[in-house]
Amino acid sequence: MVRTAGAANRLDSIVPTPPRTLWELFLGFLSIGARSFGGVLPAAHTIMVEKRRWLTPADFVETCALCQILPGPNIGNASIVLGRRWFGISGAVVAFLGLFALPYLWVLTLAMLYMHWGAHPSVSAVVTGAGAAGAGLFIATAVKLGRPIAGKPGALALIAGCFVLVAIARMSLVIVMPIALTVGILFSARGRL
Amino acid sequence: MILVQLGLYFALLSLLTFGGLGPVIPEMQRYIVDVKGWMTPGDFMQLFAVAQTVPGPNVLVTSLIGYRVAGVPGSIVALLALCLPTAAIAWAVSGLRERFRESPWRGVIQRALAPLLVGLMFAAGYTIATPHAPDWRLWLIALGTAAGMLTTRVNPVWLLAGGAVLGGILL
């Protein structure tokens, strides 16, 4: 979400106009779901801040920061938080359904196609190649996120520990996550991360 | 019965999905392939690949897995189980935005989570690219894609397409 400071200030000075009806809320989240190739948050920013002006840029960033620290899909959390803020429980339900409606139908169609064609050897080879490329995208993301913290021994130990326990030893994340998070918070609270 | 197992498992998993679905991919694969034997590791990798072509939140891969395991009901149960527990948490804390902005815990937790998520993303890459025994062709595609992503500004969609073409040639 790269925005120039000038553009952000200009949008910040505009008084936001929250959605007036549940239908408007539904349509907004429907278009976020439909156009979010390559990342949901940029699409959410385009729709909610730039086009519909439901939120100021600062409000958007704060809502995202809260949702990122919670478990669960960030944008799914944001649909609940914002829907509730504007319309209570019906808003939360409507925003959530709007967000997932089109991607869900798409995924269901793909699932049916895959069941039909997936066993064909050349389809299987192409799909497996795309899967390996997807693995590469995870590795690239890990490298990008890891670079700023790679200078700290505590961070490196946590990175290596999580990798070995989960990928090599194949331990359950239900065990690894609470332990690693506890260690991480202890390190972090003492300024080691 | 399988729907109940699927639902309970994804509900538990949802509480561990910090930073998106990527970091919990190895755990999902462990349970669905190793523990339950609902599909082969190759199938899991292919479903993951198919899910990448879907717009929207990446949690939709759970719908594909649910569909494979238990049809349309499975796809709905898996998606809702993964989203509803965390939606309930989001609902509960959605009033805390103002207080949260000031809290020193925000920084502490974010710094604690960062190395965990990095380690788990590496684990996800390794797990997906190594469905059976290590295979140099899959690792070549994965590392080539990672290098492409890190050194160029090309849209990831083209890197995935490149991986698909290489897969068609090499595999």
Side-chain angles (χ1 to χ4, degrees):
Chain A
M1 237 173 308
V2 182
R3 305 280 162 210
T4 61
N9 289 340
R10 181 172 50 74
L11 287 168
D12 253 331
S13 63
I14 292 167
V15 179
T17 50
R20 278 150 302 201
T21 61
L22 282 172
W23 180 239
E24 198 187 332
L25 183 72
F26 181 78
L27 287 180
F29 273 95
L30 196 70
S31 50
I32 292 172
R35 55 184 292 167
S36 50
F37 273 109
V40 186
L41 285 183
H45 188 275
T46 306
I47 300 289
M48 290 197 285
V49 178
E50 292 169 33
K51 292 212 158 149
R52 295 185 179 252
R53 308 232 156 121
W54 289 348
L55 295 168
T56 64
D59 204 351
F60 180 80
V61 169
E62 265 167 43
T63 305
C64 286
L66 175 64
C67 293
Q68 271 165 349
I69 213 166
L70 300 172
N74 296 335
I75 186 66
N77 289 341
S79 72
I80 302 287
V81 169
L82 292 171
R84 178 186 184 184
R85 193 196 301 174
W86 291 322
F87 295 102
I89 190 158
S90 50
V93 172
V94 161
F96 182 86
L97 290 179
L99 179 66
F100 279 99
L102 293 176
Y104 174 77
L105 290 177
W106 184 310
V107 95
L108 206 59
T109 311
L110 279 176
M112 288 167 181
L113 286 174
Y114 172 77
M115 292 303 167
H116 201 256
W117 296 102
H120 194 280
S122 57
V123 174
S124 167
V126 165
V127 174
T128 302
L137 295 183
F138 279 148
I139 293 168
T141 306
V143 170
K144 269 187 203 168
L145 295 176
R147 262 184 202 146
I149 55 175
K152 292 166 183 159
L156 282 182
L158 276 168
I159 292 171
C162 285
F163 176 81
V164 170
L165 291 179
V166 170
I168 311 293
R170 294 188 67 75
M171 272 176 72
S172 170
L173 198 60
V174 178
I175 297 165
V176 176
M177 179 71 98
I179 296 172
L181 197 56
T182 309
V183 174
I185 287 175
L186 284 175
F187 280 2
S188 169
R190 293 176 185 188
R192 302 266 183 86
L193 290 178
Chain B
M1 198 53 219
I2 204 165
L3 280 177
V4 175
Q5 285 182 358
L6 200 64
L8 287 178
Y9 177 70
F10 278 122
L12 174 66
L13 194 66
S14 82
L15 301 176
L16 303 175
T17 54
F18 295 95
L21 203 73
V24 301
I25 291 275
E27 165 61 25
M28 255 164 68
Q29 198 236 33
R30 186 193 70 84
Y31 182 79
I32 287 163
V33 175
D34 298 3
V35 178
K36 288 291 167 188
W38 282 334
M39 60 183 79
T40 68
D43 288 340
F44 185 89
M45 179 184 191
Q46 296 204 343
L47 288 181
F48 163 77
V50 170
Q52 287 182 308
T53 64
V54 179
N58 58 8
V59 293
L60 282 153
V61 70
T62 58
S63 284
L64 269 178
I65 290 167
Y67 183 81
R68 176 64 195 263
V69 173
V72 173
S75 74
I76 296 172
V77 165
L79 182 62
L80 289 183
L82 197 87
C83 291
L84 290 188
T86 59
I89 296 173
W91 170 273
V93 304
S94 62
L96 300 179
R97 197 168 42 109
E98 298 299 322
R99 253 185 289 167
F100 174 71
R101 190 173 19 178
E102 314 290 330
S103 168
W105 282 100
R106 174 174 159 180
V108 169
I109 293 173
Q110 276 173 338
R111 283 195 304 276
L113 275 174
L116 267 60
L117 298 181
V118 171
L120 293 175
M121 290 296 269
F122 276 122
Y126 175 86
T127 306
I128 292 286
T130 320
H132 306 281
D135 181 335
W136 67 270
R137 295 168 301 180
L138 298 181
W139 285 10
L140 180 73
I141 296 172
L143 292 177
T145 307
M149 183 75 184
L150 289 168
T151 55
T152 68
R153 298 179 63 90
V154 63
N155 188 314
V157 171
W158 295 111
L159 295 173
L160 292 176
V165 170
L166 271 178
I169 295 168
L170 293 175
L171 299 173

